[in-house]
């Protein structure tokens, strides 16, 4: 199949999922065309089966806001015609589903039929998409998609609750390439980060408000009062500066390392003992799954799709949002005793196997096939 994938190319769960999906589909013989404004961060290798087409938005002084949707839909039309793309899979409803629908209409005008599969990732529904300024357009583009998927049951329920959706929503969970996350390192170079007695606690995110970054710092503050520990803060975002200030206020600067965005997530997870994800909302929590795949147990909240990913008392623990004392106690319970820590580490790895890429990607292929079939029947009738 020739598939066009539209996503955000930045450090964010939806872009990572879209990129890993495209790469796996290409290994399974499909021809993949990524269409976005820059090369996706995890797309390192271009092969015969993987192509990247950049969407340019020419600057024009008249525009206060440059019209990305317009440039994207025009690019989609051009790429579908040039490469014979059979189906468009758009990740994140805003504005991708909307631009894809416009492209579909333009192509229809020329007698070309291309179905759209839209994957909802979370904030496009729970935070941004639900805003009254966007809601009518988001509702419209979801209902106009030929197939809709969501990354968790929880997100499906949120979508049905918040929007007037007339489409079936297929739940296809996020996935993990276990081979990539199985420690390839013979030496993680842990000694560069901490001494043997210190436990390494890690948080990775785009450090937006929804991630509750102050809670990460407060939980770590409680941990390090009980046992020697270091905190690795990975990622960039608006809450980072506040986190640095809080670390200074609490006098724990020597125990916290801020990395910024990193392409070496696997290496950081390789030497981590515990992952913190105290988010206010999380449709799935891909970062938690990546941690578990590297054998790192997770202390998270019980919000959104997190209970579908992190099993309470097995791969880590779940607590209410902002329950810092509870999350700290659970973290200490895991970290304090080496046997307990090792049990949680192997449980975390076992839990991640439920999301093996080889079991999940065929679910997307089946949706593509059914959608194309339905589409061709529509044309015949
Ligand atoms: O987590 C983020 O803030 C990034 C965001 C994105 O759109 O890239 O992540 C969302 O999609 C991920 C992939 O499906 C999910 O794992 C995240 O849980 C979801 N984020 C939220 O719901 C806050």
């Amino acid at each position: 199949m020739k598939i066009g994938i539209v996503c955000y190319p930045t450090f964010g769960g939806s872009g990572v999922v879209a990129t890993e999906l495209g790469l796996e589909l290409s290994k399974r013989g499909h021809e993949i065309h990524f269409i976005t404004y820059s090369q996706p961060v995890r797309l390192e290798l271009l092969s015969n089966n993987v192509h990247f087409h950049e969407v340019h938005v020419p600057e024009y002084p008249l525009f206060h806001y440059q019209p990305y949707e317009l440039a994207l839909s025009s690019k989609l039309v051009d790429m579908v015609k040039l490469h014979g793309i059979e189906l468009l899979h758009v990740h994140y409803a805003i504005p991708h589903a909307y631009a894809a629908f416009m492209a579909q209409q333009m192509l229809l005008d020329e007698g070309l039929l291309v179905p759209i599969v839209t994957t909802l990732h979370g904030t496009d529904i729970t935070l941004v998409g639900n805003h009254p300024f966007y809601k009518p357009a988001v509702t419209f583009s979801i209902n106009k998609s030929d197939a809709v998927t969501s990354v968790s049951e929880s997100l499906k329920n949120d979508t049905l609750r918040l929007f007037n959706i007339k489409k079936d929503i297929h739940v296809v969970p996020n996935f993990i390439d276990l081979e990539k996350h199985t420690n390839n390192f013979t030496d993680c170079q842990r000694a560069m980060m901490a001494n043997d007695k210190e436990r390494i606690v890690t948080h990775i995110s785009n450090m937006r408000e929804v991630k509750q970054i102050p809670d990460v710092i407060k939980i770590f503050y409680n941990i390090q009062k009980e046992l020697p520990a270091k905190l690795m803060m990975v990622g960039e975002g608006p809450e980072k500066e506040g986190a640095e200030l809080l670390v200074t206020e609490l006098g724990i600067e020597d125990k916290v390392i801020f990395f910024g965005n990193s392409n070496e997530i696997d290496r950081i997870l390789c030497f981590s003992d515990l992952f913190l994800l105290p988010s206010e909302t999380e449709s799935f929590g891909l970062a938690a799954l990546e941690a578990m795949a590297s054998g790192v147990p997770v202390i998270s909240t019980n919000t959104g799709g997190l209970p579908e990913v992190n099993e309470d008392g097995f791969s880590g623990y779940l607590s209410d949002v902002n329950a810092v004392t509870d999350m700290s106690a659970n973290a200490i319970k895991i970290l304090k005793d080496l046997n307990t820590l090792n049990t949680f580490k192997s449980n975390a790895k076992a839990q991640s196997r439920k999301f093996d890429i080889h079991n999940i990607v065929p679910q997307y292929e089946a949706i593509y096939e059914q959608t194309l079939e339905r589409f061709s029947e529509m044309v015949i009738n």
Side-chain angles (χ1 to χ4, degrees):
M1 230 180 275
K2 291 186 182 185
I3 303 160
I5 293 186
V6 181
C7 63
Y8 282 106
T10 48
F11 288 90
S14 61
V16 170
V17 169
T19 307
E20 300 285 354
L21 172 64
L23 292 174
E24 180 62 19
L25 287 167
S26 76
K27 286 188 207 151
R28 294 168 72 92
H30 301 285
E31 187 178 301
I32 304 301
H33 296 264
F34 286 97
I35 305 160
T36 180
Y37 60 81
S38 69
Q39 184 162 324
V41 284
R42 294 231 185 145
L43 186 65
E44 279 159 10
L45 265 182
L46 296 178
S47 73
N48 279 347
N49 268 353
V50 182
H51 307 268
F52 162 59
H53 311 292
E54 190 171 347
V55 180
H56 291 284
V57 187
E59 293 274 329
Y60 187 67
L62 176 71
F63 300 139
H64 185 60
Y65 304 105
Q66 306 302 319
Y68 180 64
E69 290 89 327
L70 227 60
L72 175 60
S73 50
S74 295
K75 187 78 180 186
L76 290 174
V77 168
D78 289 347
M79 293 304 103
V80 164
K81 285 180 3 194
L82 187 65
H83 299 284
I85 291 170
E86 294 156 86
L87 177 142
L88 292 171
H89 187 175
V90 302
H91 291 259
Y92 211 89
I94 311 167
H96 299 153
Y98 192 76
F101 175 72
M102 285 314 297
Q104 188 183 55
Q105 294 305 298
M106 287 185 262
L107 289 160
L108 199 58
D109 219 34
E110 297 187 40
L112 288 166
L113 288 130
V114 182
I116 302 164
V117 176
T118 296
T119 292
L120 309 173
H121 278 274
T123 43
D124 46 351
I125 296 301
T126 53
L127 290 180
V128 197
N130 192 27
H131 194 286
F133 292 173
Y134 297 119
K135 202 166 179 168
V138 173
T139 311
F140 174 83
S141 8
I142 295 174
N143 281 329
K144 289 291 178 189
S145 300
D146 299 292
V148 181
T149 78
S150 82
V151 298
S152 63
E153 283 291 341
S154 154
L155 182 60
K156 173 179 174 173
N157 295 335
D158 283 342
T159 311
L160 296 174
R161 184 170 47 82
L162 296 167
F163 296 84
N164 181 12
I165 299 300
K166 298 179 186 112
K167 282 258 137 62
D168 275 351
I169 300 180
H170 308 263
V171 175
V172 184
N174 286 337
F175 49 80
I176 195 87
D177 186 342
L178 289 160
E179 277 144 47
K180 271 192 201 164
H181 282 266
T182 304
N183 298 340
N184 295 322
F185 310 105
T186 46
D187 172 18
C188 302
Q189 294 178 310
R190 188 187 192 283
M192 277 170 58
M193 298 297 156
N195 66 42
D196 283 351
K197 291 200 180 74
E198 285 170 324
R199 299 280 195 249
I200 299 185
V201 180
T202 298
H203 171 80
I204 305 173
S205 77
N206 47 23
M207 300 205 188
R208 283 176 299 125
E209 203 182 336
V210 70
K211 304 291 171 180
Q212 298 291 301
I213 300 298
D215 284 2
V216 175
I217 309 294
K218 289 179 206 163
I219 296 166
F220 175 73
Y221 179 71
N222 292 337
I223 295 173
Q224 59 82 46
K225 282 200 287 188
E226 291 291 319
L227 44 94
K230 284 267 170 70
L231 175 64
M232 311 286 139
M233 293 290 288
V234 187
E236 291 289 346
E239 297 288 302
K240 187 179 169 191
E241 205 181 313
E244 285 169 327
L245 282 172
L246 185 57
V247 163
T248 312
E249 255 170 57
L250 294 171
I252 51 174
E253 305 96 304
D254 55 331
K255 295 181 181 177
V256 183
I257 300 168
F258 285 90
F259 282 87
N261 285 331
S262 171
N263 270 326
E264 293 203 293
I265 297 300
D266 294 354
R267 184 177 290 281
I268 294 165
L269 289 172
C270 170
F271 53 64
S272 300
D273 295 306
L274 191 72
F275 191 79
L276 301 181
L277 195 61
S279 306
E280 183 189 343
T281 170
E282 203 67 69
S283 69
F284 183 89
L286 184 67
L289 176 58
E290 291 189 334
M292 294 191 305
S294 294
V296 183
V298 174
I299 294 294
S300 72
T301 44
N302 52 17
T303 178
L306 282 169
E308 295 170 51
V309 182
N310 185 19
E311 196 182 323
D312 192 41
F314 182 71
S315 51
Y317 284 105
L318 301 164
S319 303
D320 291 341
V321 175
N322 297 138
V324 169
T325 311
D326 196 45
M327 287 188 267
S328 309
N330 287 335
I332 293 163
K333 203 172 354 176
I334 294 178
L335 292 172
K336 209 157 194 177
D337 168 65
L338 190 59
N339 284 336
T340 311
L341 177 59
N342 286 336
T343 304
F344 271 91
K345 281 188 170 188
S346 62
N347 291 352
K349 198 156 222 164
Q351 175 73 357
S352 73
R353 289 191 197 108
K354 292 187 186 165
F355 302 93
D356 186 342
I357 194 168
H358 304 299
N359 299 331
I360 310 289
V361 171
Q363 296 180 32
Y364 278 119
E365 282 179 308
I367 289 170
Y368 298 159
E369 275 154 25
Q370 288 157 15
T371 309
L372 278 166
E373 215 167 282
R374 265 206 333 268
F375 221 67
S376 53
E377 276 165 17
M378 262 165 52
V379 178
I380 292 163
N381 297 327

